[in-house]
Amino acid sequence: MKRVNFGKTGEKVSAVAVGCMRFIGLEESKRRDFISCALDNGMNFFDHADIYGAGECESVFGKEIKALKIPRDKIFIQSKCGIVPHVGYDFSKEHIIKSVEGILTRLDNDYIDSLLLHRPDTLMHPEEVAEAFDLFERKGMVRHFGVSNMNPMQIELLKKYVKQDISANQMQFSPAHAGMVASGIEANTLFEGSADRDGHVLEYCRLKDITLQAWSPFQYGLFEGVYLGNEKFAALNEEIEKVAKKYNLTAEGVVCAWILTHPADMQIITGTMNKERLLNIAEGAKVNLNRKEWYDIYLSAGYRLP
Ligand SMILES: NC(=O)c1ccc[n+]([C@@H]2O[C@H](COP(=O)([O-])OP(=O)(O)OC[C@H]3O[C@@H](n4cnc5c(N)ncnc54)[C@H](OP(=O)(O)O)[C@@H]3O)[C@@H](O)[C@H]2O)c1
């Protein structure tokens, strides 16, 4: 499995990470086997959040990895906090600490490898985030820190107070959701793609060595559905199939290759709970697309090259 840098930590992590948002949707009898399959194929990075399945995803995952007796340093566990259903977002020191204590209890672990702040809380006092991170570091509860869905200025604001490196930024990204590429390619044009919706987060993360993690790589919109095999994305599917044939990949593998070919050294956070699909995605990590293939897929998703 291809490995990518995890921020400036000096650690390499699997380029294909297993997202666990849908983990409780997987039949109980298949869960252990699914985790083993990921591990056996080099995918030892698991992405959680305190809200996935209202905490149940972490609880059942914690049980399965205990049962599998995986040495703790052979698995990389990331979780997130800061979204509070029916309230909004909460980056207060009190909430972050309570949330991480809950994560560790549910995972039945002494520490997590990475903690991300899930979605920007405009009511945050960054000093409080800094205090919470310092406490986690002191107590060995969290090894690395990061954010999700944040633009560069929000990260800079945090960094004014937080002394730990921001190692990762998890953002939605795929051929069907490539605004962070389009705003750069269409810079200074009057075309719609030039709209800066993310503060040029792609270039910022590359400059600062922050690992971009591509979430929902197969969904379009905000969980509107899967674009593969979807007639709304006929041209994109046609282009992906062409490339799939050339490299003997499935369509899922081509999407993985497309994301990982980008020189930003991204990680793909998959959401499938289907073993075969996961392996097909992983095959894509072995392939580097050439420029024409990469741009043809981009164009077929409806973006333009001015
Ligand atoms: N930071 C954030 O704000 C944020 C937001 C959302 C998600 N995430 C993370 O990103 C991970 C992935 O998100 P996601 O689950 O929405 O991603 P996804 O990989 O785009 O979607 C996976 C879902 O699509 C289904 N699917 C159907 N056809 C598919 C195909 N041809 N290829 C791939 N999947 C297909 C899968 O079903 P099967 O299981 O049957 O394959 C699964 O239910 C989550 O687990 C979570 O860790 C983060």
Side-chain angles (χ1 to χ4, degrees):
M1 166 55 57
K2 176 181 175 178
R3 296 175 81 75
V4 297
N5 290 313
F6 191 66
K8 288 189 277 193
T9 62
E11 290 176 36
K12 293 261 185 192
V13 290
S14 57
V16 178
V18 181
C20 296
M21 181 174 77
R22 305 173 191 269
F23 198 62
I24 50 163
L26 182 60
E27 279 167 58
E28 205 175 335
S29 59
K30 294 186 176 164
R31 289 174 186 157
R32 205 165 301 168
D33 192 36
F34 180 76
I35 296 173
S36 295
C37 168
L39 289 171
D40 291 346
N41 289 280
M43 291 167 273
N44 68 336
F45 190 113
F46 295 87
D47 181 66
H48 284 270
D50 56 359
I51 53 162
Y52 293 165
E56 269 298 289
C57 289
E58 289 175 332
S59 299
V60 296
F61 181 85
K63 270 193 210 112
E64 298 299 350
I65 54 164
K66 268 265 133 73
L68 280 166
K69 297 194 172 45
I70 303 155
R72 182 59 185 85
D73 63 347
K74 298 288 180 237
I75 181 166
F76 193 109
I77 306 177
Q78 172 169 278
S79 193
K80 317 184 202 72
C81 69
I83 297 182
V84 187
H86 314 297
V87 174
Y89 306 127
D90 190 346
F91 286 3
S92 66
K93 179 181 173 184
E94 189 192 10
H95 176 77
I96 295 174
I97 293 174
K98 206 173 97 209
S99 167
V100 170
E101 286 169 350
I103 289 168
L104 296 180
T105 304
R106 287 189 296 276
L107 288 169
D108 194 12
N109 257 263
D110 299 331
Y111 69 91
I112 48 173
D113 298 283
S114 167
L115 173 72
L116 307 187
L117 300 172
H118 207 156
R119 275 198 176 274
D121 171 21
T122 193
L123 303 181
M124 78 165 174
H125 295 273
E127 302 90 320
E128 291 194 31
V129 175
E131 286 176 28
F133 282 11
D134 284 346
L135 178 116
F136 298 147
E137 193 176 58
R138 223 170 34 245
K139 293 194 165 182
M141 296 159 78
V142 176
R143 293 202 309 118
H144 304 301
F145 299 88
V147 297
S148 175
N149 304 304
M150 281 205 196
N151 69 33
M153 292 312 280
Q154 290 165 329
I155 298 175
E156 286 296 312
L157 175 58
L158 270 174
K159 277 163 58 120
K160 180 173 177 194
Y161 301 92
V162 168
K163 69 168 195 283
Q164 294 79 8
D165 282 336
I166 298 298
S167 296
N169 186 11
Q170 198 170 107
M171 300 284 290
Q172 185 172 8
F173 184 64
S174 71
H177 194 95
M180 65 171 147
V181 166
S183 62
I185 288 182
E186 298 186 38
N188 196 35
T189 67
L190 296 176
F191 300 126
E192 168 63 10
S194 72
D196 174 14
R197 297 194 163 86
D198 54 48
H200 299 297
V201 72
L202 173 64
E203 288 75 16
Y204 173 84
C205 289
R206 293 183 73 180
L207 273 168
K208 302 286 179 182
D209 297 308
I210 295 173
T211 300
L212 275 163
Q213 301 180 328
W215 63 258
S216 287
F218 300 100
Q219 309 277 324
Y220 65 95
L222 196 59
F223 309 119
E224 280 176 50
V226 175
Y227 58 82
L228 291 181
N230 184 328
E231 60 186 20
K232 280 191 198 157
F233 295 86
L236 174 59
N237 278 284
E238 205 173 296
E239 208 52 53
I240 287 175
E241 283 306 329
K242 230 177 3 191
V243 177
K245 226 175 243 159
K246 173 176 169 190
Y247 291 103
N248 197 22
L249 291 172
T250 61
E252 293 87 351
V254 172
V255 169
C256 175
W258 189 86
I259 292 172
L260 299 187
T261 292
H262 194 285
D265 205 27
M266 293 185 210
Q267 232 182 339
I268 174 172
I269 314 283
T270 62
T272 185
M273 288 293 123
N274 175 312
K275 254 185 355 181
E276 270 128 49
R277 209 167 252 161
L278 181 68
L279 295 179
N280 287 337
I281 294 169
E283 279 301 300
K286 298 176 185 163
V287 171
N288 248 317
L289 303 185
N290 65 37
R291 276 191 156 72
K292 175 149 175 57
E293 290 155 356
W294 200 95
Y295 280 117
D296 278 351
I297 288 175
Y298 177 77
L299 283 168
S300 69
Y303 294 102
R304 74 170 86 215
L305 299 178

